[in-house]
Amino acid sequence: MEPLFVVVLGLTLAVASAAHDSCTCATNRWAVCAQEGPGNCTCRLPASDHPVDCSTLTSKCFLMKAEMIPPKEKRLWRPPHGVSDSDGIYNPDCEDSGAFKARQCNQSSSCWCVNTAGVRRTERGGRSLSCSELVRTRWIYIELTHKRTPSAFGVPDVAKALTQLFESRYKLHPKYIAAIKYDPPLIQIRLDQSKKPRWDVDIADVAYYFEKDVNNDSVFQSNSKLAVSVNGDALAIEKLWIYYVDEKPPEFCMRQLAAGIGAVVTVVLLTAGIGIAVLLILRWLRTRTYKKFECKEMKEIKAPSLE
């Protein structure tokens, strides 16, 4: 009986160990997962009660909040005040749904309004700043360059490879990929999502996952390096730029535009004023020289003859 008991115990431990290992979140390596019974694996964000749906992408707001929590690994952690780009990652306020709250503030009582991608769209203000609505980011423009290759890629092949990448890896429906243009080595991608059904991923989350992949800081559990293949040849991405376009223009743009126009008008007026002043001075000098010359001639004509 004892050998049989040992065998059963070993099989039980092996099954439990396998179940524990399978309790992970494929789409979020920062999620903390726990086995709460047979076939019941629950994953949540660190220091949060929000459950994570590991069958799809995690919202960008939740991801940014998770990134601000010190990891348990033995490595240096950069605190929030150490972030060099104040408009990059910050510790956001999120709704229970994972959406950004329209107004974001930091520890210094500086507040600003953001769009659905969490990008600042107003000037910074105090705690009294009011953000009436969370403006939707409808378009996202992605520009990237790849390393030069001996053989050029075909435009349809690049478009097909990137469409498959966004669909398979980021769960984005192809209907939201409005356009892909390729002018070696520049690739331009336009994502268009005026409305987001509950069952579809948000293009802002897709862009964030893609950016993390390109920067070799993947959010996926495998943390594998992004590999894009075009007809069997690797498409090695070098640089990446992402631009967000909202349904309504950013409110600080008009102020900057007005300041820019004011500066241009000031320069034009100063230039015109200086030009007019120079012309008046030149005219005065010419008039003065002409009068002197005229007076000299008059004196020569009026002078009496000595004969």
Side-chain angles (χ1 to χ4, degrees):
M1 291 296 294
E2 290 184 0
L4 179 62
F5 174 75
V6 172
V7 172
V8 172
L9 180 61
L11 291 175
T12 304
L13 292 176
V15 171
S17 177
H20 180 269
D21 292 340
S22 64
C23 186
T24 57
C25 186
T27 58
N28 192 335
R29 64 185 174 91
W30 293 315
V32 179
C33 302
Q35 195 78 35
E36 298 180 354
N40 186 13
C41 176
T42 303
C43 299
R44 300 182 184 276
L45 292 175
S48 172
D49 292 330
H50 294 292
V52 177
D53 183 1
C54 296
S55 66
T56 187
L57 304 187
T58 306
S59 73
K60 180 181 177 180
C61 190
F62 281 163
L63 289 178
M64 289 175 61
K65 180 172 285 293
E67 287 184 84
M68 302 307 293
I69 298 175
K72 294 182 180 180
E73 300 96 293
K74 294 181 179 179
R75 62 178 182 180
L76 293 177
W77 173 64
R78 183 172 55 190
H81 60 268
V83 177
S84 59
D85 183 3
S86 60
D87 287 334
I89 183 174
Y90 57 91
N91 191 1
D93 293 325
C94 309
E95 302 285 0
D96 291 338
S97 62
F100 286 92
K101 290 187 176 181
R103 192 187 75 162
Q104 299 290 329
C105 301
N106 58 20
Q107 296 178 353
S108 63
S109 299
S110 176
C111 300
W112 59 95
C113 300
V114 299
N115 54 23
T116 53
V119 178
R120 182 167 64 91
R121 50 173 285 107
T122 65
E123 300 289 352
R124 295 180 182 272
R127 291 283 179 178
S128 60
L129 177 67
S130 176
C131 303
S132 59
E133 62 176 329
L134 181 66
V135 179
R136 176 156 189 79
T137 297
R138 178 175 179 178
W139 296 282
I140 293 182
Y141 291 84
I142 301 174
E143 293 186 356
L144 55 94
T145 58
H146 66 82
K147 294 181 180 179
R148 298 282 184 175
T149 57
S151 58
F153 297 120
V155 176
D157 297 331
V158 171
K160 180 180 178 181
L162 290 174
T163 299
Q164 291 177 346
L165 171 72
F166 278 88
E167 184 178 8
S168 60
R169 187 174 178 87
Y170 307 113
K171 318 298 182 185
L172 182 67
H173 196 285
K175 66 182 179 181
Y176 297 124
I177 303 177
I180 297 179
K181 293 187 177 181
Y182 179 45
D183 184 15
L186 177 66
I187 302 174
Q188 296 175 304
I189 307 170
R190 191 184 77 184
L191 306 181
D192 186 349
Q193 191 179 52
S194 57
K195 294 182 180 179
K196 189 194 83 65
R198 183 178 56 84
W199 54 84
D200 283 338
V201 297
D202 196 302
I203 57 174
D205 301 337
V206 171
Y208 195 66
Y209 267 76
F210 183 61
E211 181 181 12
K212 301 291 284 184
D213 277 341
V214 172
N215 293 332
N216 293 325
D217 187 23
S218 178
V219 181
F220 292 101
Q221 181 65 36
S222 62
N223 197 20
S224 59
K225 186 176 181 180
L226 178 66
V228 185
S229 176
V230 180
N231 291 335
D233 295 326
L235 181 71
I237 300 174
E238 284 188 313
K239 297 180 180 180
L240 175 71
W241 302 269
I242 300 178
Y243 306 93
Y244 304 88
V245 182
D246 301 340
E247 291 180 339
K248 297 181 180 180
E251 297 179 15
F252 57 77
C253 282
M254 294 307 296
R255 298 180 187 179
Q256 294 178 348
L257 181 60
I261 293 176
V264 172
V265 171
T266 301
V267 171
V268 171
L269 290 177
L270 286 175
T271 304
I274 293 173
I276 293 173
V278 171
L279 290 175
L280 291 175
I281 293 173
L282 292 175
R283 183 178 179 183
W284 177 75
L285 290 174
R286 285 199 302 269
T287 304
R288 184 178 178 186
T289 302
Y290 176 76
K291 288 183 177 180
K292 285 184 178 181
F293 181 76
E294 186 180 25
C295 291
K296 183 177 179 180
E297 285 186 342
M298 292 298 295
K299 287 180 180 181
E300 290 178 353
I301 294 173
K302 292 181 179 179
S305 176
L306 296 177
E307 298 178 355

